[in-house]
Amino acid sequence: MKPLLSYLIFITLAVTSQCVFAKQSTTPHRVVVSGGSITEIIYALDEQQRIIGVDSTSVFPAQAKEKPQIGYVRRISAEGVLSLNPDLVIGEADTGPKKVVEQLKQTGINLVIFDENDNLGGIENKIKKIANLLNVDQKGDALAQSLQVDRDALSYILQQTTIKPRVLFVLSVRNSQPIVAGAGTSADELINAAGGINVAANAINNWKPLSTEAALAINPDVIITMGRHGDDPLVKLEKLAHFKFSNAVKNGQVHSFDGSYLLGMGPRTPQAVVELAHTFHPSAQLPQGYQYRFAPSANNVTAQLSEY
């Protein structure tokens, strides 16, 4: 009995190992994405032919908007996802609602939701994780390494100055009230990384409305805002009572950045932070030979541009 038992155990383990190996070695070909930075990374890996559906935050590159839609990242549709018959669904941490995510899990679909919050320091790791899911690890390593030139350029700028401008980050304006970045936001992290001081960080946490009185009191030197859908937020902010007497408006230091470029925490974000730092410190020099690879936001930047 013992030899027979040993043989059966061996066969069982062998079959199990083959099943596990087959599962790990399977390359997904029908990928649905919930999260703009994930879509951007897959395009940067040159694996976009696998994407069969995206959420509405997947706006870069422009071709991504032509893919079938599954809804907004926080409000995706289970029916929309399942109707596409994906063999892999990848979502950012804020993919929701939770009820829909649970519904997708119960179907047994291959679902991967990143559980960590996006941050500037974690972009390379996110790239490698996505490349691993697609079984293109070498491409992931190469893309992650390509961002080092931006990391080095940022350090080069910051080494040239000790001045830290007082910066206010305005996400949007709702009912004539600016929504600004407080402590604990991605914008707060990027302001600090680019050598600025977030003037709202001591007063508020997260994204909050800013009163006229509070805006007058903090009087920012620089205002960064998001440009969207052809709007001109610079004019709107300059006319608001909150800012029209501020140092930023008086000195022409109101700058608009594309939201997915700066806050997306995708492959373009390290370059965007270089641009942000150069906006804060315009007299600083970029490293010799450094070129912006993607379309910059600021009016005073001239660059060679590329798109995936």
Side-chain angles (χ1 to χ4, degrees):
M1 293 293 295
K2 287 184 178 180
L4 178 59
L5 180 61
S6 298
Y7 177 77
L8 291 174
I9 292 173
F10 171 79
I11 293 297
T12 301
L13 290 173
V15 171
T16 302
S17 298
Q18 288 176 355
C19 291
V20 171
F21 177 78
K23 183 177 181 180
Q24 290 177 339
S25 62
T26 300
T27 299
H29 295 286
R30 298 180 58 81
V31 181
V32 168
V33 179
S34 174
S37 72
I38 297 174
T39 297
E40 185 175 332
I41 287 169
I42 295 175
Y43 269 86
L45 293 169
D46 196 25
E47 295 294 332
Q48 63 272 12
Q49 73 280 359
R50 305 195 199 190
I51 299 176
I52 59 170
V54 298
D55 78 303
S56 62
T57 69
S58 298
V59 296
F60 185 90
Q63 304 94 291
K65 293 185 285 186
E66 300 172 4
K67 301 281 186 178
Q69 294 286 313
I70 61 168
Y72 175 57
V73 63
R74 297 179 188 271
R75 296 189 299 273
I76 64 171
S77 163
E79 294 79 8
V81 171
L82 295 173
S83 68
L84 296 172
N85 192 29
D87 51 24
L88 174 63
V89 179
I90 314 177
E92 292 181 347
D94 56 352
T95 295
K98 290 183 179 180
K99 180 180 179 180
V100 169
V101 174
E102 288 304 316
Q103 288 175 345
L104 292 174
K105 287 179 179 178
Q106 290 171 9
T107 68
I109 198 169
N110 188 11
L111 175 68
V112 178
I113 302 294
F114 289 174
D115 57 3
E116 69 271 14
N117 292 323
D118 276 347
N119 59 71
L120 181 61
I123 294 173
E124 286 87 347
N125 188 46
K126 180 166 64 171
I127 288 171
K128 291 179 180 181
K129 284 184 177 181
I130 293 170
N132 181 258
L133 289 171
L134 300 178
N135 284 341
V136 289
D137 294 86
Q138 289 186 341
K139 284 186 175 182
D141 291 340
L143 179 59
Q145 182 59 39
S146 73
L147 306 187
Q148 188 59 46
V149 66
D150 300 311
R151 306 286 190 186
D152 293 342
L154 177 61
S155 297
Y156 188 84
I157 290 173
L158 298 182
Q159 289 170 5
Q160 299 174 54
T161 180
T162 58
I163 298 172
K164 289 181 175 289
R166 301 172 69 256
V167 182
L168 182 69
F169 193 103
V170 179
L171 180 68
S172 61
V173 177
R174 300 175 189 169
N175 300 319
S176 298
Q177 285 284 95
I179 309 300
V180 304
T185 59
S186 55
D188 180 57
E189 178 194 14
L190 299 186
I191 289 170
N192 288 303
I197 298 172
N198 182 7
V199 293
N202 291 331
I204 61 175
N205 292 316
N206 299 317
W207 301 95
K208 299 282 178 62
L210 187 70
S211 69
T212 304
E213 294 76 12
L216 292 172
I218 60 178
N219 188 21
D221 300 317
V222 179
I223 296 175
I224 302 297
T225 187
M226 298 288 95
R228 291 176 174 167
H229 308 303
D231 293 340
D232 185 2
L234 305 185
V235 174
K236 292 180 181 178
L237 288 184
E238 289 169 344
K239 291 182 177 179
L240 285 178
H242 300 67
F243 306 125
K244 63 183 179 180
F245 299 115
S246 68
N247 290 337
V249 171
K250 289 178 183 177
N251 298 321
Q253 292 300 311
V254 182
H255 303 276
S256 177
F257 277 71
D258 175 80
S260 66
Y261 171 59
L262 183 60
L263 297 182
M265 300 301 171
R268 294 180 297 155
T269 297
Q271 175 191 291
V273 179
V274 173
E275 184 188 342
L276 187 65
H278 203 231
T279 300
F280 293 168
H281 313 288
S283 61
Q285 298 295 312
L286 290 166
Q288 185 174 3
Y290 178 80
Q291 293 181 331
Y292 290 106
R293 303 181 303 286
F294 311 105
S297 291
N299 295 331
N300 61 342
V301 175
T302 302
Q304 285 190 350
L305 312 178
S306 67
E307 188 171 281
Y308 303 133

